[in-house]
Amino acid sequence: MKSIAYWISLPVMALVLLTGCQKESTPAEYNAKAADPERYNAALNKLTEVVVHDIFSPPVASRIYAYANLAGYEALVPFDPNYQSLAGKLKRFSDGPQPEAGKQYCFPLASTRAFMTVARALTFSVEFYDEFEKSFYEKYKQDGVPDDVYERSMAYGEAVAKHVLDYAAKDNYKQTRGFKHTVTNAEGTWVPTPPAYMDAAEPQWNKLRCWAMDTCNQFMPPRPLPYNMTVGNPYRKEVDEVYTVVKNLTKEQEATAYFWDDNAFVMNVAGHVMYASKKMTPGGHWMAIAQTVGRQKKLSMMQMVEAYALTSFALTDGFISCWDEKYRSNMVRPETVINKLMDPKWTPFLQTPPFPEYPSGHSVISTAAATVLTNLMGDNIAFTDSTEYKYGHGVRSFKSFRDAANEASISRLYGGIHYRSALDNGQVEGEKVGNWVVQKAITRRKAVAAR
């Protein structure tokens, strides 16, 4: 008669035998699974969730996306011989850690680890990542990544992330904290706007190290129209246009303005109650557009990460260039002028953001992003953008990236927060920024087409 211990041990022995008979995944097999671009997409979407929750201003959000995607890109570069490091191509970015020769790595895992490590370091609500990462990294083990390869790849991703964070620490961001813009109340200059009358955001942003641009004022736009409210003056005509457009908005124009609002912090007033609502930043919106079209074109993980990285560099340089001019010209917002001199009861359709008017940030950064994405994926690619449907902003379709950027730009006139020249000159500036990023941040060893 068999002992109880014998019968209890049978399932354990069977499990051991079954495990021992399982075929171990080869590098080709586990890398093919790990290189699913949806893994990286999920990581980026988690970062966007935290950026929205933490209410980072649009320039600061763009900085977070850029460093996280730089880390993700650099950790993935050894995975594809057609791509190269951006060391020496981004301003003062040097060579980072290299994988150990003769050792196996899962570089897609290293890439997401590098991305998430930087995301954690640059955001506040890190608890949002905890549960996500537990299940996220488990997928790579399920892919059959051997334990030693898993640990080595995670360590490599962390090393790349540290290199990128060291780079980030030297961009002057910390040195620009705590500064306030001086409001002079001189005629035609910016003053805080209702309902919250917030201080001007990021007045020292032009002090940050550029990414691809040589200097913050490399693509300085033309001087804004001189403030002059005399009837028939060019400036007065632009003020009149904003006033008239907002008073006669069509439903389509309202939908356009609201869709592209992308105001990270909107103060809502209902009677005596004031409450804030959070939304995606303009940079987050363009990251999501890149993701939408990347999926549509079935980009590889390498191509998708490249698109995120280059687009985020265009966004960050776009904000630096735009903010440099905003605080140079210090232009008053339409709301202030119209309320003071034309109609005290007039309100813009969108809430006026807390910084000077000229040029339009949406026009600069949207055109910069669209220029990069057009270069990477091609022109005349129709797509439907449902990026902010969950925030109640609807769904819109576009004929191309440029079509989307054009609509983002004109939406600021419909919103009542920008003059037309700020849109037109902002788009010219943004295209120059985008083209410069394409010329300088060269990711490919050869002309490997993504389209």
Side-chain angles (χ1 to χ4, degrees):
M1 184 176 177
K2 303 293 186 184
S3 68
I4 295 176
Y6 171 84
W7 294 108
I8 292 175
S9 66
L10 281 179
V12 177
M13 292 168 62
L15 180 60
V16 170
L17 287 170
L18 181 61
T19 304
C21 293
Q22 284 180 342
K23 184 181 178 182
E24 198 172 283
S25 294
T26 65
E29 290 170 335
Y30 63 68
N31 275 308
K33 295 175 183 176
D36 180 356
E38 287 306 318
R39 301 273 179 93
Y40 198 95
N41 288 343
L44 185 128
N45 293 343
K46 178 54 66 171
L47 172 57
T48 293
E49 180 186 333
V50 176
V51 166
V52 171
H53 181 271
D54 287 350
I55 321 178
F56 288 106
S57 70
V60 176
S62 75
R63 176 179 182 267
I64 296 169
Y65 283 118
Y67 284 119
N69 282 309
L70 174 59
Y73 174 84
E74 289 292 308
L76 190 61
V77 161
F79 188 60
D80 192 323
N82 293 313
Y83 287 78
Q84 60 187 351
S85 168
L86 287 164
K89 298 169 183 62
L90 298 178
K91 200 164 187 181
R92 293 197 286 277
F93 183 57
S94 60
D95 287 321
Q98 300 299 313
E100 191 176 348
K103 295 291 180 71
Q104 287 293 334
Y105 288 82
C106 177
F107 290 111
L109 168 58
S111 174
T112 54
R113 182 61 170 177
F115 178 96
M116 294 302 300
T117 301
V118 172
R120 275 184 172 273
L122 298 183
T123 53
F124 302 135
S125 302
V126 294
E127 68 276 6
F128 277 61
Y129 303 117
D130 292 342
E131 286 303 314
F132 171 79
E133 287 192 281
K134 285 179 184 176
S135 58
F136 182 77
Y137 295 124
E138 186 61 32
K139 294 175 184 175
Y140 295 94
K141 293 183 177 180
Q142 294 168 3
D143 292 338
V145 178
D147 289 345
D148 63 324
V149 175
Y150 178 90
E151 296 299 334
R152 190 180 302 119
S153 303
M154 292 283 277
Y156 180 64
E158 290 162 12
V160 171
K162 182 182 183 302
H163 178 64
V164 169
L165 289 170
D166 289 343
Y167 177 59
K170 300 179 181 68
D171 71 353
N172 295 325
Y173 175 76
K174 292 179 181 178
Q175 289 77 4
T176 64
R177 302 303 85 199
F179 283 88
K180 285 192 175 183
H181 173 64
T182 301
V183 177
T184 65
N185 290 310
E187 192 173 54
T189 61
W190 182 86
V191 295
T193 51
Y197 296 94
M198 297 169 65
D199 289 335
E202 300 298 342
Q204 298 283 309
W205 201 252
N206 67 339
K207 301 293 194 299
L208 265 70
R209 179 187 58 218
C210 300
W211 287 73
M213 295 189 303
D214 295 332
T215 63
C216 63
N217 59 6
Q218 183 176 357
F219 302 115
M220 186 190 302
R223 299 302 80 218
L225 293 173
Y227 178 83
N228 188 330
M229 285 298 286
T230 303
V231 175
N233 181 274
Y235 176 81
R236 174 61 185 265
K237 288 180 179 178
E238 290 207 339
V239 176
D240 289 343
E241 181 184 28
V242 176
Y243 178 76
T244 303
V245 165
V246 173
K247 284 184 73 72
N248 298 282
L249 285 176
T250 65
K251 292 297 182 185
E252 173 65 11
Q253 289 171 331
E254 288 182 355
T256 299
Y258 191 62
F259 182 82
W260 291 102
D261 186 17
D262 296 331
N263 191 338
F265 186 79
V266 175
M267 190 62 72
N268 305 283
V269 179
H272 297 290
V273 178
M274 186 177 289
Y275 62 97
S277 59
K278 304 174 185 179
K279 298 180 183 180
M280 192 177 284
T281 63
H285 195 155
W286 279 96
M287 288 287 99
I289 288 173
Q291 183 177 119
T292 294
V293 182
R295 281 178 175 150
Q296 183 176 308
K297 289 183 66 66
K298 296 180 171 55
L299 296 189
S300 68
M301 181 177 176
M302 189 73 243
Q303 292 170 326
M304 193 72 253
V305 175
E306 174 193 37
Y308 284 138
L310 294 183
T311 302
S312 63
F313 305 155
L315 292 167
T316 48
D317 267 358
F319 273 114
I320 291 170
S321 179
C322 180
W323 253 239
D324 173 63
E325 180 55 44
K326 277 186 179 293
Y327 287 96
R328 177 185 297 107
S329 54
N330 196 27
M331 199 71 187
V332 66
R333 288 281 183 171
E335 182 173 16
T336 302
V337 178
I338 293 170
N339 285 168
K340 181 180 179 181
L341 300 175
M342 297 172 63
D343 183 351
K345 295 184 179 180
W346 182 91
T347 57
F349 180 72
L350 298 178
Q351 190 172 119
T352 301
F355 34 80
E357 188 271 340
Y358 184 84
S360 157
H362 267 55
S363 301
V364 175
I365 67 99
S366 294
T367 307
T371 300
V372 166
L373 288 170
T374 299
N375 178 270
L376 286 173
M377 299 189 205
D379 205 353
N380 300 317
I381 300 174
F383 65 94
T384 297
D385 181 11
S386 58
T387 295
E388 297 193 66
Y389 178 78
K390 64 181 178 181
Y391 299 109
H393 282 238
V395 177
R396 295 184 70 79
S397 295
F398 303 99
K399 298 175 183 177
S400 65
F401 295 119
R402 295 185 188 279
D403 183 34
N406 290 340
E407 188 178 278
S409 180
I410 195 64
S411 75
R412 313 314 270 171
L413 174 63
Y414 300 156
I417 58 180
H418 275 294
Y419 309 120
R420 187 175 290 274
S421 58
L423 312 181
D424 295 343
N425 293 337
Q427 285 202 283
V428 173
E429 181 181 353
E431 185 169 11
K432 291 178 180 178
V433 171
N435 281 327
W436 192 258
V437 169
V438 169
Q439 292 172 33
K440 292 294 182 178
I442 302 172
T443 51
R444 306 188 188 191
R445 296 184 186 279
K446 301 175 183 177
V448 182
R451 21 189 106 168

